[in-house]
């Protein structure tokens, strides 16, 4: 009898995936060489699963700023902003983000996970209603559980289902907050935000969008799906992370609503944890400036995403419905997916494996995330390797398919 | 709607999700006995919500173990909405 007995089932599943070197859930890199290359088990691999959308983790200006900050301000803040005080950089980053999104208020959190945990557990309370997309990220579900609002789900990216559920709540008192994501992290599909915003307006609810995977990716200025869909005025809260396109760690929420600042002394995942260290604040500010200034990064990112999505699709593999920097290949058998993943790593391409039930539609996924820093040759190498392994495993016929027409993100 | 009628409709829905399981009754445990994974359970709950025109809050979903538990939640929510 052990306190860990309750995990027996999980342990079995985990162990069945192979020993440490071959287990997709215990990957440990020997070295990271650049935004797109690392060494894994002594083998050089292309990093195609790191959410490093703009490739800014080795941006020289960001590194210089981080070094300068660590030398002048030290390695950590050793406390919370509420109890132990903010540094100038915290406020400066909040002003930068507010200006970037064209909103009055911003709160920075220590991770994106905590931003969702904090916002969702605080801004709605007892007697209020949270209406979540059923494919929401774990941090959204966890934030919902931490708070006291009544939580219901609508069918993934289905504005009609959302409408139906809000209609049932029509005469029920309390605030209603709808939560959706810009780009969904598993399949790279884009939310029908214009339609969701229309439902929100008609039904008098609030709307929060998590732009974790779409900030710096979608929109003319990189402000995410709300900008791309032309509905920024309808989105009351935007949540995001620094751990993807901004290449560091941290999270934030921006809003324009009066009274927002009270959250600084009400939101526990903001108050009761240490604030971000100066080096992180410095590199994040630098990355945000670059994201804002350098539109070429987004153009290159979309070109790379189109190349990978189109290439895999032309092979005859089943990829997600939209072209976005998250490109996932759906397979049928988990065992085959694990073998496929190992063969990709052995061939020099690292990406993510996602197994049901952590995937939509109960199918295993090989999940790639494209970076602006990938070269066309790296993407082509990945596509070729997918083809070779797919044919070896009997998933693909001996001859590649003809390229099919595809749907572009620009069409949302 | 009567509790017994709700239960029957839920059982009919579960037979569709698991046509290979012959006897599903009020005491059948939805996750353990029918071996539905969390995605399948979520899809099933969404279909029940459609069928009875209700939304079941997640904290109540967490408390549901058997078919009877689910039927009772559906009945209560259905009545509350008409009241
Ligand atoms: C949609 C979504 N929201 C939030 C997060 C959490 O972000 P962070 O890595 O900053 O905790 C992630 C990333 O894992 C995500 O995919």
């Amino acid at each position: 009898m052990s306190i860990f007995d309750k995990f027996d089932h999980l342990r079995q599943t985990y162990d069945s995936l192979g020993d440490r070197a071959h287990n997709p859930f215990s990957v440990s890199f020997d070295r990271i060489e650049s935004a797109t290359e690392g060494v894994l088990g002594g083998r050089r691999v292309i990093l195609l699963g790191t959410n490093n959308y703009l490739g800014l983790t080795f941006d020289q200006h960001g590194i210089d700023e981080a070094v300068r900050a660590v030398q002048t301000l030290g390695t950590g803040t050793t406390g919370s902003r509420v109890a132990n005080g903010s540094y100038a950089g915290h406020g400066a980053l909040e002003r930068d983000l507010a200006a970037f999104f064209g909103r009055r208020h911003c709160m920075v959190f220590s991770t994106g996970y905590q931003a969702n945990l904090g916002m969702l557990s605080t801004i709605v309370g007892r007697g209020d209603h949270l209406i979540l997309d059923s494919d929401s990220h774990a941090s959204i579900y966890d934030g919902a559980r931490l708070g006291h609002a009544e939580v219901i789900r609508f069918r993934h990216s289905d504005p009609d289902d959302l409408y139906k559920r809000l209609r049932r709540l029509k005469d029920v008192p309390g605030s209603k907050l709808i939560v959706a994501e810009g780009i969904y992290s598993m399949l790279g599909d884009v939310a029908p935000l214009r339609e969701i915003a229309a439902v929100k307006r008609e039904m008098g609810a609030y709307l929060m969008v998590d732009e974790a995977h779409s900030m710096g990716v979608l929109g003319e200025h990189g402000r995410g799906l709300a900008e791309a869909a032309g509905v920024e005025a309808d989105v009351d809260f935007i949540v995001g992370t620094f751990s993807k396109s901004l290449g560091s760690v941290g999270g934030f929420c921006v809003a324009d609503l009066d009274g927002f600042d009270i959250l600084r002394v009400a939101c526990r995942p903001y108050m009761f944890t240490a604030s971000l260290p100066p080096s992180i604040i410095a590199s994040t500010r630098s990355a945000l400036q670059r994201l804002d200034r350098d539109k070429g990064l987004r153009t290159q990112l979309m070109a790379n995403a189109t190349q990978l999505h189109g290439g895999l699709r032309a092979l005859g593999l089943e990829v997600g419905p939209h072209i976005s920097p998250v490109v996932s290949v759906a397979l049928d058998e988990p065992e085959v997916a694990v073998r496929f993943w190992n063969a990709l790593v052995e061939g020099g391409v690292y990406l993510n494996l996602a197994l049901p039930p952590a995937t939509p539609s109960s199918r295993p996924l090989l999940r790639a995330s494209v970076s602006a820093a990938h070269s066309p040759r790296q993407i082509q190498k990945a596509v070729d390797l997918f083809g070779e392994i797919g044919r070896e495993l009997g998933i693909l016929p001996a001859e590649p398919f003809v390229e099919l027409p595809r749907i572009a993100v620009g069409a949302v | 709607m009567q509790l017994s009628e709700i239960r029957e409709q839920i059982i009919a829905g579960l037979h569709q999700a698991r046509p290979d399981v012959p006897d599903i009754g009020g005491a059948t445990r939805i996750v353990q006995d029918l071996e539905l994974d969390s995605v399948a359970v979520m899809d099933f709950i969404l279909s029940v919500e459609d069928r009875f025109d209700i939304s079941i809050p997640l904290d109540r979903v967490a408390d549901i173990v058997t078919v009877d538990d689910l039927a009772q939640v559906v009945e209560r929510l259905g009545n509350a909405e008409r009241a």
Side-chain angles (χ1 to χ4, degrees):
Chain A
M1 181 63 188
S2 148
I3 197 166
F4 301 124
D5 283 352
K6 52 178 127 352
F7 301 113
D8 280 354
H9 192 72
L10 185 59
R11 158 78 50 203
Q12 265 174 21
T13 311
Y14 181 72
D15 289 347
S16 73
L17 295 172
D19 58 27
R20 270 191 61 83
H22 297 100
N23 191 317
F25 302 105
S26 59
V27 167
S28 174
F29 295 101
D30 308 342
R31 281 197 312 283
I32 297 293
E33 310 254 280
S34 71
T36 61
E37 281 192 323
V39 179
L40 184 56
R43 199 176 286 109
R44 269 190 104 79
V45 291
I46 297 170
L47 300 175
L48 197 64
T50 56
N51 304 318
N52 197 354
Y53 298 125
L54 302 181
L56 295 182
T57 46
F58 284 81
D59 177 74
Q60 194 54 50
H61 187 256
I63 291 174
D64 293 344
E65 289 291 298
V67 168
R68 206 160 56 90
V70 82
Q71 280 172 341
T72 53
L73 297 165
T75 49
T77 65
T78 65
S80 122
R81 292 178 62 185
V82 181
N84 311 87
S86 296
Y87 288 22
H90 293 123
L93 175 55
E94 286 175 343
R95 286 189 294 279
D96 291 352
L97 283 162
F100 174 73
F101 283 99
R103 301 190 181 231
R104 282 180 297 149
H105 307 289
C106 174
M107 253 167 90
V108 162
F109 292 81
S110 297
T111 65
Y113 178 89
Q114 281 165 289
N116 273 329
L117 213 57
M119 294 307 296
L120 294 174
S121 65
T122 311
I123 58 177
V124 281
R126 219 173 288 288
D128 294 332
H129 302 268
L130 259 177
I131 304 103
L132 311 181
D133 184 287
S134 59
D135 279 3
S136 288
H137 188 259
S139 57
I140 294 172
Y141 274 112
D142 290 356
R145 255 174 64 171
L146 188 63
H148 300 283
E150 194 163 270
V151 187
I152 59 174
R153 288 180 289 199
F154 64 99
R155 280 182 199 277
H156 176 54
S157 286
D158 184 341
D160 294 335
D161 193 51
L162 172 65
Y163 177 80
K164 220 164 53 183
R165 287 166 193 277
L166 281 164
R167 201 192 47 210
R168 285 181 201 135
L169 287 172
K170 204 164 172 33
D171 301 318
V172 182
S175 300
K176 286 136 203 168
L177 176 66
I178 304 163
V179 186
E181 293 171 37
I183 292 178
Y184 282 85
S185 61
M186 281 292 145
L187 292 176
D189 52 314
V190 178
L193 198 59
R194 215 172 303 162
E195 293 78 3
I196 289 175
V199 172
K200 173 247 167 164
R201 279 195 306 271
E202 183 180 342
M203 303 307 279
Y206 292 90
L207 175 59
M208 174 185 287
V209 178
D210 181 342
E211 303 265 20
H213 295 269
S214 38
M215 177 187 185
V217 173
L218 297 181
E220 168 75 16
H221 302 89
R223 292 198 296 267
L225 179 60
E227 184 193 8
V231 295
E232 285 175 291
D234 294 311
V235 178
D236 302 287
F237 303 95
I238 287 178
V239 171
T241 175
F242 307 152
S243 72
K244 305 186 195 302
S245 58
L246 296 173
S248 66
V249 66
F252 69 89
C253 177
V254 293
D256 235 0
L257 296 173
D258 289 332
F260 183 85
D261 261 356
I262 195 63
L263 296 177
R264 289 188 198 272
V265 289
C267 178
R268 297 166 66 88
Y270 173 84
M271 299 161 69
F272 295 101
T273 192
S275 61
L276 288 170
S279 54
I280 292 297
I281 297 287
S283 77
T284 304
R285 291 188 69 196
S286 165
L288 182 61
Q289 280 166 20
R290 175 92 193 269
L291 182 164
D292 195 16
R293 218 180 38 233
D294 194 348
K295 277 190 196 159
L297 287 175
R298 270 190 303 290
T299 316
Q300 188 58 50
L301 174 62
M302 277 329 226
N304 289 350
T306 305
Q307 188 190 350
L308 184 63
H309 191 273
L312 295 177
R313 195 173 165 136
L315 288 173
L317 290 167
E318 195 180 327
V319 286
H322 302 129
I323 295 178
S324 88
V326 176
V327 181
S328 285
V329 171
L331 298 172
D332 290 315
E333 298 301 321
E335 298 73 28
V336 175
V338 173
R339 278 167 59 203
F340 207 131
W341 181 87
N342 272 288
L344 282 166
V345 170
E346 265 153 43
V349 172
Y350 166 78
L351 43 62
N352 318 129
L353 175 70
L355 293 179
T359 59
S361 76
S362 295
R363 292 175 72 189
L365 297 174
L366 293 166
R367 175 189 181 274
S369 45
V370 177
S371 172
H374 285 124
S375 67
R377 276 186 51 203
Q378 286 175 315
I379 307 263
Q380 192 54 48
K381 180 179 168 181
V383 171
D384 292 344
L385 191 61
F386 260 101
E388 259 169 56
I389 300 168
R391 284 188 289 272
E392 256 164 50
L393 293 178
I395 294 163
L396 294 175
E399 288 299 306
F401 279 36
V402 202
E403 189 164 346
L404 300 164
R406 40 185 190 245
I407 310 159
V409 150
V412 299
Chain B
M1 197 181 290
Q2 292 290 311
L3 187 59
S4 56
E5 201 179 325
I6 294 169
R7 187 195 297 119
E8 254 160 57
Q9 294 196 11
I10 290 170
I11 291 172
L14 284 169
H15 273 304
Q16 268 172 9
R18 289 300 309 268
D20 47 324
V21 179
D23 23 68
I24 300 176
T28 302
R29 295 173 303 172
I30 297 168
V31 173
Q32 292 94 327
D33 296 341
L34 300 181
E35 293 182 348
L36 295 176
D37 68 27
S38 53
V39 176
V41 170
M42 187 183 80
D43 284 344
F44 178 68
I45 298 281
L46 287 168
S47 72
V48 168
E49 290 175 325
D50 277 348
R51 174 68 196 81
F52 296 101
D53 197 27
I54 52 171
S55 297
I56 308 177
L58 285 194
D59 57 342
R60 301 234 204 144
V61 173
D63 290 336
I64 295 168
V65 177
T66 64
V67 168
D68 277 340
D69 295 340
L70 176 57
Q72 267 157 24
V73 168
V74 170
E75 190 205 21
R76 253 175 251 146
L77 285 171
N79 288 341
E81 243 146 64
R82 268 186 304 276

